[in-house]
Amino acid sequence: MKNMLRLVKLFFIPVAFFNALGGVVSIIWLVTLGEWRQVGLGLLLLFTLGFMMAKLLAPEKLIPYAAVSPNKKSRLRLYLLGGGHSLVMTVWCWFVLIFFAKHYASESAVPMLIWSYTVAFSTICYRQEGVIKSCGWHAFLPVVCTQISYLAAIAMIYFTDSSLFSALVMILVGSTFGVCLLVNSPLNQPPEEYMVD
């Protein structure tokens, strides 16, 4: 379990770096290509549905359920809640991915797919630092695993012409894996005891 947590933590900084720069780079790139409409639609999605998803999928909502004593009943409750969280996040990511994947020409494929990632995750991650300070970085396990699988899905679409259904499966697997890591991480201990060095 600790090895898995270490592996996910390795991706944490590159993903945070990509979150910070991906949106800015993709907007500049799309504007340069004259794709103003997609930038505008992305911003509209971001500031409407994106903020609704951020409230619904706030990572710290799972923590009170994860931090209770690990009996079977509380673990089952967390699996059910985490499963719902995973499903909603997957549907949201798939909606955003389909929306942008169907609207790009070959020359705008890379910035459009990066822009789709920004729209899907920036509102969920905008309070990342505060949540990590109050709940520990484990709070973001489902989100980080979903982000990694989303990046893998857009790479798969771009490099192998995979179907959107394959991308959906990859995102669902990543999101579910993140929830399983959260359920099995020792959150019932104080943060300094379960932080992975």
Side-chain angles (χ1 to χ4, degrees), residues 18-63:
F18 193 83
N19 290 347
L21 290 181
V24 176
V25 170
S26 60
I27 286 175
I28 293 168
W29 197 343
L30 286 169
V31 167
T32 305
L33 293 172
E35 295 278 5
W36 288 93
R37 184 170 179 269
Q38 299 309 317
V39 172
L41 287 170
L43 289 171
L44 185 66
L45 265 179
L46 193 65
F47 290 109
T48 53
L49 288 175
F51 275 103
M52 285 170 58
M53 288 297 114
K55 288 194 173 204
L56 189 63
L57 299 171
E60 66 272 23
K61 285 189 176 178
L62 291 175
I63 292 301

Side-chain angles (χ1 to χ4, degrees), residues 93-153:
C93 289
W94 201 46
F95 167 75
V96 173
L97 186 58
I98 288 174
F99 184 83
F100 287 102
K102 290 191 179 252
H103 291 92
Y104 67 73
S106 56
E107 70 275 3
S108 66
V110 173
M112 196 71 79
L113 291 170
I114 295 171
W115 181 227
S116 76
Y117 171 89
T118 302
V119 171
F121 290 103
S122 57
T123 52
I124 296 170
C125 296
Y126 83 104
R127 294 179 305 106
Q128 184 170 317
E129 194 178 323
V131 174
I132 290 170
K133 278 182 183 171
S134 61
C135 302
W137 72 274
H138 290 71
F140 269 88
L141 280 171
V143 176
V144 172
C145 289
T146 308
Q147 287 175 297
I148 293 165
S149 62
Y150 192 101
L151 289 171

Side-chain angles (χ1 to χ4, degrees), residues 2 6 10 22 45-46 77 118 138 146 170 189 196-197:
K2 267 200 162 185
R6 280 196 183 95
L10 278 178
L45 265 179
L46 193 65
R77 191 183 309 131
T118 302
H138 290 71
T146 308
M170 181 163 280
Q189 299 168 26
V196 178
D197 298 320

Side-chain angles (χ1 to χ4, degrees), residues 151-163 166-168 170:
L151 289 171
I154 61 178
M156 196 170 68
I157 288 169
Y158 182 73
F159 291 112
T160 66
D161 284 331
S162 297
S163 68
S166 303
L168 166 68
M170 181 163 280

